[in-house]
């Protein structure tokens, strides 16, 4: 069977600058597809369900960096705390505390991104900019020694309106830059998916999360 995963990956890699990290979003896709991407050199994969990511971690090479990109269920953080490389979708202080607690059990420091709400749709999760500022500046955060907030993540509105996408990406990028001046740990801005990653990169993204353009359309809605 010709899947084209390798060719798709190559095409995307050629179209993004070197400083941009490509997260291959493999949610719903079988182990064999991930293995194929791995053999083509891809090492960073993103999943949106903790249990599915754990199953894949158990069955694939251990030098893969696993990113959790989905909405987090706090009671499941413990299942991925021993291996997760980066958690993109942190949207509450409570969740940060839970990640810290579970990371501590494994003697790890887990890198996290705070998810900002940039979409106009109210179906998207995420924190208001003011909530993010509050978290970053809080006394309590400095007491959490087992997490490291390394950046921000955002999902734009599901639309073809380039003007709107542009506005959403640039507002997050500006907010990110402003906070980078204050917090030296911030180095990652995760924004851009299959349909909008070029625009996201033009607006300052340095991490894109791409699924369907690599692995093809997903078999079921997630
Ligand atoms: C599924 C998903 C992606 C990838 O979407 P594609 O359009 O298939 O590239 C990126 N980010 C998040 C948070 C996702 O859930």
């Amino acid at each position: 069977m010709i899947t084209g995963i390798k060719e798709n990956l190559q095409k995307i890699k050629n179209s993004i600058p070197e400083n941009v990290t490509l997260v291959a979003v493999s949610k719903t896709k079988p182990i064999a597809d991930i293995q194929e991407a791995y053999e083509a050199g891809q090492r960073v994969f993103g999943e949106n369900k903790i249990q599915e990511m754990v199953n894949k971690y158990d069955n694939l090479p251990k030098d893969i960096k696993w990113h959790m990109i989905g909405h987090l269920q706090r009671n499941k953080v413990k299942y991925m705390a021993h291996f997760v490389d980066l958690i993109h979708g942190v949207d509450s202080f409570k969740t940060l505390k839970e990640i810290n607690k579970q990371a501590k059990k494994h003697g790890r420091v887990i890198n996290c991104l705070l998810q900002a709400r940039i979409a106009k749709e109210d179906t998207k999760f995420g924190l208001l900019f003011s909530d993010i500022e509050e978290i970053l500046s809080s006394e309590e955060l400095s007491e959490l020694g087992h997490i490291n907030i390394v950046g921000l993540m955002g999902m734009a509105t599901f639309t073809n309106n380039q003007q709107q996408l542009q506005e959403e990406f640039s507002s997050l990028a500006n907010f990110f830059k402003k906070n980078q001046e204050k917090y030296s740990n911030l180095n990652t801005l995760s924004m851009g998916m299959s349909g909008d990653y070029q625009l996201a990169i033009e607006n300052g993204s340095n991490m894109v999360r791409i699924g369907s353009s690599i692995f093809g359309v997903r078999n079921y809605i997630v």
Side-chain angles (χ1 to χ4, degrees), residues 25 27 48 69-70 115 153 155 192-195 209-213 216 218 222:
V25 176
K27 63 190 186 193
N48 73 338
I69 63 171
Q115 182 169 357
M153 179 265 215
M155 266 174 106
M193 316 186 357
S194 289
R209 310 174 308 269
I210 299 183
S212 43
S213 291
R218 283 177 289 276
V222 287

PDB file of all heavy atoms in Angstrom, residues 25 27 48 69-70 115 153 155 192-195 209-213 216 218 222, ligand 1:
ATOM      1  N   VAL A  25       1.089  15.081  14.087  1.00  0.00           N
ATOM      2  CA  VAL A  25      -0.087  14.724  14.895  1.00  0.00           C
ATOM      3  C   VAL A  25      -0.660  13.397  14.418  1.00  0.00           C
ATOM      4  O   VAL A  25      -1.250  13.298  13.341  1.00  0.00           O
ATOM      5  CB  VAL A  25      -1.145  15.849  14.834  1.00  0.00           C
ATOM      6  CG1 VAL A  25      -2.400  15.433  15.601  1.00  0.00           C
ATOM      7  CG2 VAL A  25      -0.578  17.141  15.429  1.00  0.00           C
ATOM      8  N   LYS A  27      -2.794  11.311  16.142  1.00  0.00           N
ATOM      9  CA  LYS A  27      -4.026  10.863  16.806  1.00  0.00           C
ATOM     10  C   LYS A  27      -4.892  10.056  15.845  1.00  0.00           C
ATOM     11  O   LYS A  27      -4.999  10.431  14.668  1.00  0.00           O
ATOM     12  CB  LYS A  27      -4.803  12.068  17.348  1.00  0.00           C
ATOM     13  CG  LYS A  27      -5.275  13.034  16.284  1.00  0.00           C
ATOM     14  CD  LYS A  27      -5.815  14.318  16.905  1.00  0.00           C
ATOM     15  CE  LYS A  27      -6.427  15.217  15.855  1.00  0.00           C
ATOM     16  NZ  LYS A  27      -6.681  16.581  16.324  1.00  0.00           N
ATOM     17  N   ASN A  48      -3.833  13.450  21.178  1.00  0.00           N
ATOM     18  CA  ASN A  48      -4.760  14.255  21.987  1.00  0.00           C
ATOM     19  C   ASN A  48      -5.542  13.448  23.026  1.00  0.00           C
ATOM     20  O   ASN A  48      -6.382  14.004  23.720  1.00  0.00           O
ATOM     21  CB  ASN A  48      -5.709  15.068  21.088  1.00  0.00           C
ATOM     22  CG  ASN A  48      -6.759  14.214  20.430  1.00  0.00           C
ATOM     23  OD1 ASN A  48      -6.571  13.000  20.302  1.00  0.00           O
ATOM     24  ND2 ASN A  48      -7.857  14.816  20.025  1.00  0.00           N
ATOM     25  N   ILE A  69      -1.328  17.177  23.007  1.00  0.00           N
ATOM     26  CA  ILE A  69      -1.861  18.418  22.434  1.00  0.00           C
ATOM     27  C   ILE A  69      -3.344  18.619  22.731  1.00  0.00           C
ATOM     28  O   ILE A  69      -3.913  19.643  22.381  1.00  0.00           O
ATOM     29  CB  ILE A  69      -1.635  18.483  20.904  1.00  0.00           C
ATOM     30  CG1 ILE A  69      -2.400  17.357  20.198  1.00  0.00           C
ATOM     31  CG2 ILE A  69      -0.150  18.417  20.563  1.00  0.00           C
ATOM     32  CD1 ILE A  69      -2.409  17.496  18.678  1.00  0.00           C
ATOM     33  N   GLY A  70      -3.972  17.625  23.355  1.00  0.00           N
ATOM     34  CA  GLY A  70      -5.415  17.703  23.553  1.00  0.00           C
ATOM     35  C   GLY A  70      -5.812  18.342  24.871  1.00  0.00           C
ATOM     36  O   GLY A  70      -4.966  18.710  25.697  1.00  0.00           O
ATOM     37  N   GLN A 115      -2.308  27.163  27.129  1.00  0.00           N
ATOM     38  CA  GLN A 115      -3.153  27.334  25.945  1.00  0.00           C
ATOM     39  C   GLN A 115      -3.945  28.622  26.036  1.00  0.00           C
ATOM     40  O   GLN A 115      -4.715  28.828  26.975  1.00  0.00           O
ATOM     41  CB  GLN A 115      -4.095  26.145  25.765  1.00  0.00           C
ATOM     42  CG  GLN A 115      -4.950  26.287  24.504  1.00  0.00           C
ATOM     43  CD  GLN A 115      -5.709  25.032  24.140  1.00  0.00           C
ATOM     44  OE1 GLN A 115      -5.575  23.999  24.793  1.00  0.00           O
ATOM     45  NE2 GLN A 115      -6.518  25.112  23.096  1.00  0.00           N
ATOM     46  N   MET A 153       0.417  28.132  23.517  1.00  0.00           N
ATOM     47  CA  MET A 153      -0.180  27.411  22.404  1.00  0.00           C
ATOM     48  C   MET A 153      -1.527  28.040  22.087  1.00  0.00           C
ATOM     49  O   MET A 153      -2.221  28.530  22.987  1.00  0.00           O
ATOM     50  CB  MET A 153      -0.360  25.956  22.819  1.00  0.00           C
ATOM     51  CG  MET A 153      -0.990  25.054  21.800  1.00  0.00           C
ATOM     52  SD  MET A 153      -2.777  24.867  21.990  1.00  0.00           S
ATOM     53  CE  MET A 153      -2.970  23.174  21.491  1.00  0.00           C
ATOM     54  N   MET A 155      -5.057  27.789  19.155  1.00  0.00           N
ATOM     55  CA  MET A 155      -5.748  27.224  17.993  1.00  0.00           C
ATOM     56  C   MET A 155      -6.643  28.303  17.414  1.00  0.00           C
ATOM     57  O   MET A 155      -7.501  28.838  18.115  1.00  0.00           O
ATOM     58  CB  MET A 155      -6.638  26.066  18.433  1.00  0.00           C
ATOM     59  CG  MET A 155      -5.994  24.711  18.324  1.00  0.00           C
ATOM     60  SD  MET A 155      -7.088  23.485  19.050  1.00  0.00           S
ATOM     61  CE  MET A 155      -7.675  22.705  17.565  1.00  0.00           C
ATOM     62  N   GLY A 192      -0.556  26.736  14.508  1.00  0.00           N
ATOM     63  CA  GLY A 192      -0.555  26.322  13.109  1.00  0.00           C
ATOM     64  C   GLY A 192      -0.826  24.837  12.966  1.00  0.00           C
ATOM     65  O   GLY A 192      -0.223  24.030  13.660  1.00  0.00           O
ATOM     66  N   MET A 193      -1.787  24.507  12.080  1.00  0.00           N
ATOM     67  CA  MET A 193      -2.160  23.124  11.791  1.00  0.00           C
ATOM     68  C   MET A 193      -2.103  22.943  10.268  1.00  0.00           C
ATOM     69  O   MET A 193      -1.647  23.840   9.568  1.00  0.00           O
ATOM     70  CB  MET A 193      -3.561  22.821  12.329  1.00  0.00           C
ATOM     71  CG  MET A 193      -3.744  23.381  13.717  1.00  0.00           C
ATOM     72  SD  MET A 193      -5.228  23.035  14.678  1.00  0.00           S
ATOM     73  CE  MET A 193      -6.290  22.074  13.673  1.00  0.00           C
ATOM     74  N   SER A 194      -2.602  21.811   9.765  1.00  0.00           N
ATOM     75  CA  SER A 194      -2.466  21.542   8.323  1.00  0.00           C
ATOM     76  C   SER A 194      -2.949  22.706   7.458  1.00  0.00           C
ATOM     77  O   SER A 194      -2.296  23.083   6.488  1.00  0.00           O
ATOM     78  CB  SER A 194      -3.245  20.282   7.940  1.00  0.00           C
ATOM     79  OG  SER A 194      -2.598  19.151   8.468  1.00  0.00           O
ATOM     80  N   GLY A 195      -4.095  23.267   7.807  1.00  0.00           N
ATOM     81  CA  GLY A 195      -4.704  24.260   6.933  1.00  0.00           C
ATOM     82  C   GLY A 195      -4.142  25.665   7.058  1.00  0.00           C
ATOM     83  O   GLY A 195      -4.381  26.510   6.184  1.00  0.00           O
ATOM     84  N   ARG A 209       1.679  21.984  14.507  1.00  0.00           N
ATOM     85  CA  ARG A 209       1.093  20.670  14.823  1.00  0.00           C
ATOM     86  C   ARG A 209       0.309  20.203  13.602  1.00  0.00           C
ATOM     87  O   ARG A 209      -0.767  20.690  13.329  1.00  0.00           O
ATOM     88  CB  ARG A 209       0.156  20.793  16.030  1.00  0.00           C
ATOM     89  CG  ARG A 209       0.762  21.517  17.234  1.00  0.00           C
ATOM     90  CD  ARG A 209      -0.291  21.715  18.331  1.00  0.00           C
ATOM     91  NE  ARG A 209      -1.491  22.340  17.844  1.00  0.00           N
ATOM     92  CZ  ARG A 209      -1.723  23.648  17.829  1.00  0.00           C
ATOM     93  NH1 ARG A 209      -0.848  24.483  18.351  1.00  0.00           N
ATOM     94  NH2 ARG A 209      -2.849  24.124  17.347  1.00  0.00           N
ATOM     95  N   ILE A 210       0.900  19.263  12.860  1.00  0.00           N
ATOM     96  CA  ILE A 210       0.324  18.905  11.569  1.00  0.00           C
ATOM     97  C   ILE A 210      -0.053  17.427  11.519  1.00  0.00           C
ATOM     98  O   ILE A 210       0.792  16.546  11.753  1.00  0.00           O
ATOM     99  CB  ILE A 210       1.299  19.266  10.440  1.00  0.00           C
ATOM    100  CG1 ILE A 210       1.547  20.788  10.480  1.00  0.00           C
ATOM    101  CG2 ILE A 210       0.736  18.849   9.075  1.00  0.00           C
ATOM    102  CD1 ILE A 210       2.432  21.308   9.386  1.00  0.00           C
ATOM    103  N   GLY A 211      -1.326  17.165  11.254  1.00  0.00           N
ATOM    104  CA  GLY A 211      -1.821  15.791  11.211  1.00  0.00           C
ATOM    105  C   GLY A 211      -2.207  15.357   9.816  1.00  0.00           C
ATOM    106  O   GLY A 211      -1.471  14.617   9.149  1.00  0.00           O
ATOM    107  N   SER A 212      -3.348  15.825   9.345  1.00  0.00           N
ATOM    108  CA  SER A 212      -3.907  15.290   8.092  1.00  0.00           C
ATOM    109  C   SER A 212      -3.013  15.504   6.876  1.00  0.00           C
ATOM    110  O   SER A 212      -3.023  14.674   5.968  1.00  0.00           O
ATOM    111  CB  SER A 212      -5.310  15.851   7.857  1.00  0.00           C
ATOM    112  OG  SER A 212      -5.366  17.215   8.132  1.00  0.00           O
ATOM    113  N   SER A 213      -2.216  16.548   6.840  1.00  0.00           N
ATOM    114  CA  SER A 213      -1.328  16.742   5.687  1.00  0.00           C
ATOM    115  C   SER A 213      -0.183  15.735   5.658  1.00  0.00           C
ATOM    116  O   SER A 213       0.488  15.591   4.641  1.00  0.00           O
ATOM    117  CB  SER A 213      -0.742  18.159   5.678  1.00  0.00           C
ATOM    118  OG  SER A 213      -1.752  19.089   5.398  1.00  0.00           O
ATOM    119  N   GLY A 216      -2.904  11.847   6.201  1.00  0.00           N
ATOM    120  CA  GLY A 216      -4.187  11.734   5.504  1.00  0.00           C
ATOM    121  C   GLY A 216      -5.336  12.036   6.450  1.00  0.00           C
ATOM    122  O   GLY A 216      -5.139  12.214   7.651  1.00  0.00           O
ATOM    123  N   ARG A 218      -8.429  11.818   8.937  1.00  0.00           N
ATOM    124  CA  ARG A 218      -8.641  10.877  10.037  1.00  0.00           C
ATOM    125  C   ARG A 218      -9.915  10.074   9.809  1.00  0.00           C
ATOM    126  O   ARG A 218     -10.859  10.534   9.186  1.00  0.00           O
ATOM    127  CB  ARG A 218      -8.686  11.622  11.369  1.00  0.00           C
ATOM    128  CG  ARG A 218      -7.301  12.026  11.839  1.00  0.00           C
ATOM    129  CD  ARG A 218      -7.338  12.829  13.116  1.00  0.00           C
ATOM    130  NE  ARG A 218      -7.861  14.164  12.926  1.00  0.00           N
ATOM    131  CZ  ARG A 218      -7.136  15.203  12.512  1.00  0.00           C
ATOM    132  NH1 ARG A 218      -5.867  15.060  12.256  1.00  0.00           N
ATOM    133  NH2 ARG A 218      -7.693  16.382  12.377  1.00  0.00           N
ATOM    134  N   VAL A 222     -12.587  13.356  16.229  1.00  0.00           N
ATOM    135  CA  VAL A 222     -12.117  13.350  17.624  1.00  0.00           C
ATOM    136  C   VAL A 222     -12.355  14.681  18.297  1.00  0.00           C
ATOM    137  O   VAL A 222     -12.537  15.678  17.623  1.00  0.00           O
ATOM    138  CB  VAL A 222     -10.617  13.018  17.725  1.00  0.00           C
ATOM    139  CG1 VAL A 222     -10.394  11.556  17.434  1.00  0.00           C
ATOM    140  CG2 VAL A 222      -9.822  13.898  16.799  1.00  0.00           C
TER     141      VAL A 222
HETATM  142  C1  LIG B   1      -5.856  17.382  15.494  1.00  0.00           C
HETATM  143  C2  LIG B   1      -5.082  18.538  15.962  1.00  0.00           C
HETATM  144  C3  LIG B   1      -4.103  19.136  15.156  1.00  0.00           C
HETATM  145  C4  LIG B   1      -3.799  18.684  13.732  1.00  0.00           C
HETATM  146  O1  LIG B   1      -4.836  18.996  12.867  1.00  0.00           O
HETATM  147  P1  LIG B   1      -4.683  18.812  11.272  1.00  0.00           P
HETATM  148  O2  LIG B   1      -5.658  19.761  10.731  1.00  0.00           O
HETATM  149  O3  LIG B   1      -4.999  17.394  10.979  1.00  0.00           O
HETATM  150  O4  LIG B   1      -3.282  19.152  10.914  1.00  0.00           O
HETATM  151  C5  LIG B   1      -3.391  20.200  15.680  1.00  0.00           C
HETATM  152  N1  LIG B   1      -3.618  20.649  16.924  1.00  0.00           N
HETATM  153  C6  LIG B   1      -4.540  20.101  17.728  1.00  0.00           C
HETATM  154  C7  LIG B   1      -4.726  20.646  19.099  1.00  0.00           C
HETATM  155  C8  LIG B   1      -5.306  19.038  17.275  1.00  0.00           C
HETATM  156  O5  LIG B   1      -6.225  18.505  18.099  1.00  0.00           O
END
